[in-house]
Amino acid sequence: MFLKRYVGLDIGVSGVKIAYFSKGIGGVKCESLDIIPLKDFGTTDIEYAIREALIFEHLTKIMGSIDLKGRRLVVPLPGDVARVFTVKDVDKNRDGDYTDAVKEASKRFFGGIVPLGVDFFWEIIEDRGDKVDVLGIIYNSEVVERFKIFFSNFTQDFEIEPASISLYNIFNIVNPAKSDRNKLVLHLGVKDVVMAVVSREGDLIYGRTRSDLKAELVDEITLENVGPYLLEVARAFKDSLNLVGYESEGMDGIEIYVSGGPTLSNVLLEAFKVVLRLEVKQINFLVNPPFKLYTGAPTFMAPRFTLAVGAVISRLL
């Protein structure tokens, strides 16, 4: 008898990754991993609004083939929709509402003025009596609402979360040990890069999805075309550390973990070493999975399903 059943749905530019999980008396089980290609606009340089419309068009065609019966659907937000960050040393207040603190801290990401159409969510991650540390989430409310309306046409049992939280969830499963260095965790896609910055203590201190990076890594992967892209990612990471109040110690004081389809290429992993002069570790939850695996998915495919699995795994373990 299954007590919980979930499906994680990661909407990528090149395909939709689907992870079916359940939890019963025998523990957590990965029932299957599936990918449905989206080839029509994988490498096309299009605006987000057009791309979103294409995503909905393609999803409409495939939603009927996804087994949602008795399952809760969890979808990591695609595109540059949400940011996650830590607000440290907030004065504890009586009403327990820290929306204003999160809103004020978010101004640094927008040049001092919070734009219209942005909403806020917060959660206390540490309570020290008179001070608290708060995990803040800022997101594009209009985009989120459109995705909610879309999925409500197929199921009422669903939730949407920032992709960086899904990435952090699976990272915690694969790499639970604390470290003496900060961690940069990346899920590299054709157009999007999901980023999670993890502190030495293992806490998520910043996360976002970058959809403005020129990550044309599908047609031909060489050190020449990957190098500028990696340097841009590195700069974005270092800027992010400074924005959230963590002093950057240089890239040699950072551990880097990667996942995603393009990271399967030896050229890309070599580029990290050559361009950034750093060793890079791959996130692969199939090497020592904390669940029973009922799927024939080969180990080398695991990085492509990082977000789909990360979206549901924290709800089951």
Side-chain angles (χ1 to χ4, degrees):
M1 177 180 177
F2 295 119
L3 303 179
K4 296 181 180 179
R5 304 179 76 203
Y6 282 88
V7 55
L9 184 70
D10 170 28
I11 307 167
V13 173
S14 59
V16 176
K17 277 77 69 177
I18 308 166
Y20 293 99
F21 273 79
S22 60
K23 183 177 183 179
I25 297 176
V28 176
K29 300 177 182 180
C30 176
E31 298 173 0
S32 65
L33 301 172
D34 192 17
I35 182 168
I36 301 176
L38 298 179
K39 298 179 180 179
D40 291 356
F41 60 103
T43 58
T44 304
D45 190 12
I46 55 179
E47 296 180 0
Y48 177 78
I50 300 175
R51 180 176 151 194
E52 184 183 285
L54 287 172
I55 288 174
F56 288 153
E57 179 182 339
H58 282 271
L59 282 177
T60 300
K61 296 177 182 178
I62 69 173
M63 286 301 292
S65 63
I66 300 174
D67 181 13
L68 296 175
K69 186 176 181 180
R71 297 181 184 274
R72 185 168 183 81
L73 173 67
V74 187
V75 183
L77 282 172
D80 194 4
V81 177
R83 301 190 196 190
V84 182
F85 58 97
T86 299
V87 187
K88 301 175 64 178
D89 298 324
V90 180
D91 290 332
K92 197 170 185 178
N93 58 44
R94 293 182 179 180
D95 59 11
D97 187 350
Y98 297 96
T99 304
D100 289 342
V102 171
K103 186 175 182 179
E104 183 63 29
S106 73
K107 291 181 180 179
R108 73 188 85 168
F109 305 117
F110 301 111
I113 301 176
V114 179
L116 297 175
V118 173
D119 282 342
F120 302 87
F121 176 81
W122 58 267
E123 178 180 346
I124 293 177
I125 55 178
E126 186 173 355
D127 189 336
R128 297 190 299 278
D130 59 338
K131 298 281 187 178
V132 294
D133 290 347
V134 177
L135 187 70
I137 300 175
I138 51 179
Y139 58 90
N140 185 319
S141 55
E142 294 180 356
V143 174
V144 173
E145 188 60 28
R146 288 198 294 270
F147 273 90
K148 286 182 177 179
I149 292 173
F150 174 83
F151 286 111
S152 67
N153 293 317
F154 303 94
T155 178
Q156 297 302 309
D157 191 10
F158 73 93
E159 56 186 301
I160 297 174
E161 72 176 20
S164 53
I165 290 182
S166 298
L167 178 60
Y168 173 69
N169 289 341
I170 196 66
F171 174 75
N172 261 352
I173 299 300
V174 175
N175 191 69
K178 296 181 180 180
S179 171
D180 60 353
R181 292 185 289 178
N182 292 318
K183 277 82 67 176
L184 168 60
V185 189
L186 300 170
H187 182 74
L188 303 173
V190 178
K191 286 284 188 180
D192 295 341
V193 177
V194 181
M195 175 188 298
V197 180
V198 182
S199 71
R200 299 176 182 84
E201 294 76 25
D203 299 318
L204 177 64
I205 58 176
Y206 182 76
R208 72 171 295 192
T209 300
R210 292 286 300 269
S211 56
D212 55 343
L213 297 176
K214 302 301 181 183
E216 301 294 348
L217 303 179
V218 174
D219 298 328
E220 182 181 4
I221 303 177
T222 66
L223 283 177
E224 287 73 22
N225 65 17
V226 169
Y229 161 69
L230 292 179
L231 290 175
E232 189 175 354
V233 171
R235 282 193 294 268
F237 166 67
K238 294 170 76 172
D239 291 343
S240 301
L241 273 181
N242 293 330
L243 281 172
V244 295
Y246 282 75
E247 183 179 355
S248 178
E249 302 169 351
M251 294 305 290
D252 58 345
I254 295 163
E255 294 178 357
I256 296 182
Y257 297 79
V258 295
S259 68
T263 63
L264 302 178
S265 165
N266 291 330
V267 174
L268 185 58
L269 291 176
E270 185 66 22
F272 270 100
K273 299 175 184 178
V274 173
V275 178
L276 301 181
R277 299 180 181 178
L278 288 171
E279 292 295 322
V280 179
K281 301 177 183 179
Q282 244 183 352
I283 298 175
N284 192 332
F285 56 84
L286 291 183
V287 174
N288 294 298
F291 45 75
K292 295 181 180 179
L293 191 62
Y294 288 84
T295 172
T299 301
F300 72 85
M301 286 289 290
R304 301 191 72 176
F305 291 89
T306 295
L307 296 185
V309 174
V312 298
I313 198 66
S314 64
R315 293 162 171 83
L316 293 169
L317 295 179

